[in-house]
Amino acid sequence: FPSHDNPADVKVIKKIGEEGVLCMLSDCLGVSKDGGSVPESVLGPTFNKVMAENVGRQIMLTVISSNLARMHQIIDAAKKHNRKVVLAGRSIEQTVKIGMELGYLPFKKEDFVSEREAYKQPQGNLLYMIAGCFGQVGSALDRVSKNEHDDISLEKNALIIFSAEPSPPGVDVEVLLLVFSSTV
């Protein structure tokens, strides 16, 4: 279920289907797996707990850049724990900008610190929302893990959170390689 909206109205969808839908296109990761999934809404309390348990620690949280509902929960949690959000990666920056312009992310510019200014801040006062949850080569997280990012450096004892399941085939291998390369 969405974290900020009502769940889909299955009865309405069924009625439309009975009226003779010619074609429906949908995209859903994990749809071919048996069982259900955990509701998106459980993540907000999880993000809050992680931040409460890691006061003063550098935190980088990677997320699928199209998931506005999850981004909303992440930014909410950061605000509750007096952390400014650093948007790291072009896709993350663009999605948040558009989400704010359209009113889906009701936050202020003051809630954020730019990548280029983040190094001036105490790292425990920031939350990096960073692109690269699928281990994409050249992503912000990939560059940070290799100490190749122009503006962001990993502190010793930094906490990196992957807030996405590596579902597409082969992605789990890329994520494991990224995690391994960041520990070497």
Side-chain angles (χ1 to χ4, degrees):
F1 294 117
S3 62
H4 291 88
D5 293 323
N6 294 323
D9 190 334
V10 179
K11 290 179 184 177
V12 170
I13 294 170
K14 181 180 177 188
K15 182 179 178 207
I16 292 169
E18 290 169 350
E19 293 173 1
V21 173
L22 176 62
C23 177
M24 178 181 152
L25 301 175
S26 179
D27 181 21
C28 181
L29 290 175
V31 72
S32 60
K33 293 180 183 176
D34 288 338
S37 60
V38 177
E40 183 76 20
S41 59
V42 304
L43 292 174
T46 302
F47 295 138
N48 278 305
K49 182 177 185 230
V50 166
M51 286 183 221
E53 292 173 352
N54 291 282
V55 173
R57 190 172 179 190
Q58 185 187 45
I59 300 176
M60 295 190 187
L61 197 153
T62 183
V63 61
I64 297 172
S65 61
S66 61
N67 193 335
L68 281 176
R70 186 159 311 167
M71 289 180 177
H72 193 287
Q73 293 181 89
I74 293 165
I75 299 167
D76 262 346
K79 285 185 63 166
K80 286 177 186 166
H81 294 277
N82 299 313
R83 288 180 180 257
K84 301 271 185 182
V85 178
V86 179
L87 305 174
R90 195 169 42 252
S91 60
I92 297 281
E93 289 176 12
Q94 290 173 345
T95 301
V96 170
K97 179 182 178 229
I98 292 167
M100 288 174 65
E101 288 172 0
L102 296 175
Y104 293 112
L105 297 174
F107 301 104
K108 300 175 184 166
K109 288 184 181 183
E110 300 82 50
D111 297 324
F112 301 90
V113 172
S114 74
E115 276 185 43
R116 293 184 188 225
E117 297 295 315
Y119 77 94
K120 296 177 184 176
Q121 306 285 323
Q123 295 299 292
N125 294 346
L126 302 174
L127 172 75
Y128 290 84
M129 192 159 51
I130 189 165
C133 63
F134 291 144
Q136 302 94 319
V137 174
S139 67
L141 185 60
D142 177 55
R143 289 180 286 130
V144 167
S145 76
K146 296 173 181 172
N147 200 26
E148 295 173 353
H149 198 286
D150 292 337
D151 301 309
I152 303 171
S153 297
L154 271 179
E155 286 191 340
K156 186 176 182 174
N157 201 31
L159 177 62
I160 312 295
I161 301 166
F162 284 78
S163 183
E165 179 185 345
S167 294
V171 167
D172 52 345
V173 174
E174 293 296 326
V175 169
L176 288 174
L177 288 173
L178 177 65
V179 170
F180 179 74
S181 74
S182 68
T183 61
V184 175

